[in-house]
């Protein structure tokens, strides 16, 4: 990745934090000092330990990569969140240098690749949608960017996995309805197949933008721009950069589901910043600026809040993890689009403080609450998502102490395969990455595998 190192980002964040605390840098029961890398690493280790304590997939008789009660409503963790969690653990190693969980992470990330090395494992036939698949791929992409230790040579590599999922999904681009867009589900029997979800399209754009940065192949960047333009033109991103949840084919994509989630604006913000970093185009600076403004919806008195459900206390298991992604993506944007750094500093520093302050709860006495609005308060909601939220909030403060993301030309060590992914969505061989005009002709692919009986718990259509 062609990044713009911005060493002042975390320095300024720490200085602001110290000033806000009026010289008192201890902000939680974990004794976190935001201006002290050693303190931050110690706190991150504690939060990571509590999070990984939930994971049993590496134990004999269990399935690597699956989180507790996988796919079981209402409190089980769906398959996609495992991919998100192990991406967080890649970040943990990147920020702290602690390799304690590297082997477990690699085992999970490589076990769930499926029979065709494209994150479509048969053991997830009931839960697998486009966004689910992409979250695992985005974590693999992170592995390539931060030089997370490569998998064994007989396993698919990080870059190759990201390319495989991108290849699988671009042939599902659906020009037959709504002039384009990716459906939420790719199985026609799955509830949600007629829904064009924002997160599914955002994830595919994200893979395209980052693959383009890493490899230098402009076809990836062309696809990323195509996806963004469709999303904005259809109305899922409005003129004020509010980012809505999705739209239905049954209503000809004329009516937007106006729910707003942190990860939807976050995925497009990071993607736009990556496009700016790769192209230096004024368009992407403007879109990055606008989307950053759009994040203001999720901050109350300087604290990040999941507005659709947090105050009501009815966030589901998936939604309890969304803040972690916005925290991480905003921190990355401050480096890839450094003109945003000062505003992002101001937005994140108080959330970092408060997130650390609520890691004093649960059976361990160090588990983290979901809400950060009341410093030091335990809200009784503990789990993997809450730990991911706090871990990212703490460890992003170490960004200045690590090397920036890499590309194939700047030290990247992950091997790729532009033709990875196996068969396309329509059952045909993908071959090498095709140009955008040829990709358009591919149209929408349908992978007909098995009737899906359960509904994915990701970006829900309504919150009651």
């Amino acid at each position: 990745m062609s990044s713009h190192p911005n060493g002042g980002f975390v320095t300024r964040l720490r200085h602001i934090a110290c000033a806000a605390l009026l010289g008192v840098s201890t902000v939680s029961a974990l004794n976190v000092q935001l201006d002290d890398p050693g303190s931050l690493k110690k706190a991150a280790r504690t939060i990571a330990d509590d999070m990984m304590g939930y994971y049993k997939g590496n134990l004999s008789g269990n399935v690597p990569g699956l989180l507790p009660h996988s796919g079981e409503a209402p409190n089980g963790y769906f398959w996609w969140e495992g991919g998100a969690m192990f991406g967080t653990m890649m970040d943990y190693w990147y920020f702290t240098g602690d390799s304690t969980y590297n082997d477990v992470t690699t085992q999970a990330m490589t076990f769930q690749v499926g029979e065709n090395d494209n994150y479509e494992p048969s053991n997830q036939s009931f839960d697998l949608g486009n966004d689910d698949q992409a979250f695992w791929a985005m974590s693999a992409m992170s592995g390539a960017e931060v030089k997370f230790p490569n998998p064994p040579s007989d396993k698919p590599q990080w870059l190759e996995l990201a390319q495989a999922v991108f290849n699988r999904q671009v042939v599902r681009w659906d020009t037959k309805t709504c002039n384009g867009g990716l459906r939420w589900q790719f199985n026609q029997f799955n509830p949600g197949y007629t829904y064009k979800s924002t997160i599914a399209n955002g994830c595919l754009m994200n893979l395209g933008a980052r693959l383009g940065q890493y490899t230098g192949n402009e076809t990836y960047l062309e696809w990323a721009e195509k996806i963004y333009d469709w999303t904005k033109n259809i109305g899922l991103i409005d003129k004020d950069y509010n980012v809505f949840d999705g739209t239905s084919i049954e209503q000809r994509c004329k009516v937007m589901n106006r729910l707003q989630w942190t990860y939807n604006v976050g995925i497009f913000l990071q993607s736009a910043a990556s496009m700016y970093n790769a192209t230096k185009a004024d368009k992407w600076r403007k879109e990055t600026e606008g989307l950053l403004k759009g994040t203001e919806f999720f901050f109350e008195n300087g604290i990040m809040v999941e507005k659709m459900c947090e105050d009501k206390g009815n966030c589901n298991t998936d939604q309890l993890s969304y803040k972690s992604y916005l925290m991480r993506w905003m921190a990355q944007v401050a480096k890839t689009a450094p003109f945003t750094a000062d505003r992002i500093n101001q937005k994140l520093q108080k959330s970092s403080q408060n997130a650390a302050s609520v890691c004093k709860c649960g059976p361990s006495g160090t588990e983290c609450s979901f809400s950060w609005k009341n410093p030091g308060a335990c809200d009784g909601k503990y789990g993997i998502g809450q730990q991911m939220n706090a871990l990212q909030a703490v460890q992003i403060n170490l960004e200045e102490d690590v090397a920036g993301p890499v590309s194939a030309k700047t030290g990247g060590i992950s091997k790729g395969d532009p033709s990875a992914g196996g068969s396309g969505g329509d059952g045909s061989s993908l071959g090498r990455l095709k140009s955008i005009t040829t990709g358009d002709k591919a149209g929408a692919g349908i992978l007909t595998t098995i009737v899906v009986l359960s509904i994915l718990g990701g970006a829900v259509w309504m919150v009651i």
Side-chain angles (χ1 to χ4, degrees):
M1 178 183 297
S2 172
S3 65
H4 290 271
N6 182 22
F9 164 55
V10 179
T11 297
R12 288 193 296 273
L13 185 101
R14 291 173 182 166
H15 289 170
I16 293 168
C18 291
L21 291 168
L22 301 177
V24 180
S25 56
T26 298
V27 297
S28 80
L30 295 178
N31 195 32
V32 179
Q33 295 177 314
L34 296 180
D35 59 345
D36 179 358
S39 172
L40 289 163
K41 290 179 181 180
K42 183 177 180 181
R45 173 60 188 264
T46 299
I47 298 169
D49 285 346
D50 280 335
M51 181 173 75
M52 294 302 289
Y54 286 94
Y55 177 64
K56 309 299 181 187
N58 60 318
L59 301 181
S60 178
N62 293 335
V63 180
L66 297 189
L67 302 185
H69 308 291
S70 182
E72 296 179 11
N75 298 317
Y77 295 92
F78 284 92
W79 177 71
W80 75 274
E81 195 164 342
M85 187 187 81
F86 289 109
T88 300
M89 292 311 296
M90 287 178 163
D91 287 337
Y92 171 75
W93 168 81
Y94 170 63
F95 285 125
T96 68
D98 180 4
S99 61
T100 299
Y101 294 108
N102 282 16
D103 289 346
V104 172
T105 296
T106 299
Q107 179 196 43
M109 288 289 297
T110 56
F111 190 87
Q112 289 296 326
V113 298
E115 294 78 4
N116 292 308
D117 296 341
N118 56 18
Y119 287 119
E120 292 180 24
S122 59
N123 66 353
Q124 291 303 312
S125 298
F126 291 102
D127 291 331
L128 202 154
N130 283 310
D131 52 344
D132 305 80
Q133 181 183 30
F135 261 88
W136 285 87
M138 290 189 296
S139 292
M141 190 70 230
S142 293
E145 292 166 336
V146 305
K147 297 171 69 173
F148 191 80
N150 288 329
S153 60
D154 62 339
K155 301 290 186 181
Q157 302 300 294
W158 305 132
L159 178 60
E160 175 188 352
L161 286 164
Q163 290 172 311
V165 172
F166 180 87
N167 288 342
R168 290 289 286 173
Q169 294 198 356
V170 291
V171 296
R172 299 173 188 154
W173 185 257
D174 176 20
T175 57
K176 295 179 181 178
T177 60
C178 306
N179 296 314
L182 196 66
R183 296 171 185 251
W184 181 19
Q185 306 294 316
F186 58 82
N187 188 317
Q188 64 178 327
F189 300 109
N190 194 348
Y193 179 71
T194 60
Y195 192 63
K196 295 204 172 178
S197 80
T198 300
I199 191 59
N201 286 279
C203 288
L204 184 56
M205 180 193 177
N206 190 270
L207 285 172
R210 293 163 68 190
L211 283 167
Q213 276 188 301
Y214 192 96
T215 67
N217 186 328
E218 292 199 3
T219 300
Y220 291 121
L221 301 178
E222 291 170 2
W223 266 105
E225 183 167 23
K226 179 184 180 69
I227 295 161
Y228 185 79
D229 289 348
W230 178 86
T231 305
K232 197 171 183 185
N233 291 338
I234 208 73
L236 290 171
I237 301 173
D238 73 7
K239 63 181 178 61
D240 296 317
Y241 292 91
N242 295 300
V243 183
F244 305 122
D245 186 71
T247 187
S248 175
I249 291 170
E250 294 165 339
Q251 296 173 309
R252 297 184 298 168
C253 298
K254 300 295 185 182
V255 179
M256 302 300 112
N257 176 350
R258 297 179 70 85
L259 292 178
Q260 296 187 62
W261 304 103
T262 49
Y263 76 163
N264 279 331
V265 69
I267 194 77
F268 282 102
L269 174 60
Q270 190 208 20
S271 301
S274 295
M275 291 295 288
Y276 169 78
N277 187 270
T279 68
K280 309 302 184 293
D282 290 342
K283 170 182 179 175
W284 294 114
R285 179 174 181 130
K286 177 179 180 291
E287 298 308 306
T288 300
E289 293 270 18
L291 290 160
L292 180 58
K293 183 176 183 292
T295 66
E296 294 173 4
F297 178 80
F298 297 102
F299 287 82
E300 295 179 2
N301 299 315
I303 303 299
M304 188 182 292
V305 178
E306 197 63 65
K307 293 286 286 289
M308 296 294 99
C309 60
E310 184 169 326
D311 288 343
K312 298 176 184 178
N314 64 342
C315 299
N316 68 25
T317 301
D318 288 350
Q319 295 151 8
L320 290 170
S321 73
Y322 289 175
K323 289 190 289 189
S324 70
Y325 318 128
L326 182 56
M327 287 294 292
R328 178 64 178 120
W329 292 334
M330 287 181 72
Q332 289 177 324
V333 168
K335 292 187 75 92
T336 56
F339 58 85
T340 66
D342 288 340
R343 280 162 290 171
I344 288 177
N345 295 341
Q346 295 290 338
K347 285 179 179 290
L348 296 189
Q349 58 91 16
K350 191 172 181 181
S351 289
S352 289
Q353 295 170 27
N354 282 23
S357 79
V358 298
C359 293
K360 54 180 289 186
C361 312
S364 69
T366 53
E367 287 193 62
C368 307
S369 291
F370 173 60
S371 178
W372 303 337
K373 295 174 72 171
N374 299 309
C378 296
D379 62 10
K381 299 180 184 298
Y382 317 123
I384 291 172
Q386 296 89 320
Q387 295 302 118
M388 277 200 288
N389 296 341
L391 182 55
Q392 292 289 22
V394 168
Q395 67 189 16
I396 61 171
N397 293 281
L398 292 162
E399 188 110 41
E400 93 170 319
D401 302 319
V402 296
V406 299
S407 71
K409 293 183 178 179
T410 61
I413 59 174
S414 187
K415 295 181 179 179
D417 178 0
S419 63
S423 297
D426 58 0
S428 63
S429 175
L430 280 170
R432 296 185 64 82
L433 180 66
K434 299 175 181 178
S435 68
I436 192 167
T437 53
T438 305
D440 288 346
K441 295 177 183 177
I446 302 171
L447 181 64
T448 54
T449 52
I450 187 170
V451 176
V452 177
L453 302 176
S454 62
I455 198 164
L456 168 69
V460 297
W461 301 5
M462 295 187 65
V463 177
I464 300 173

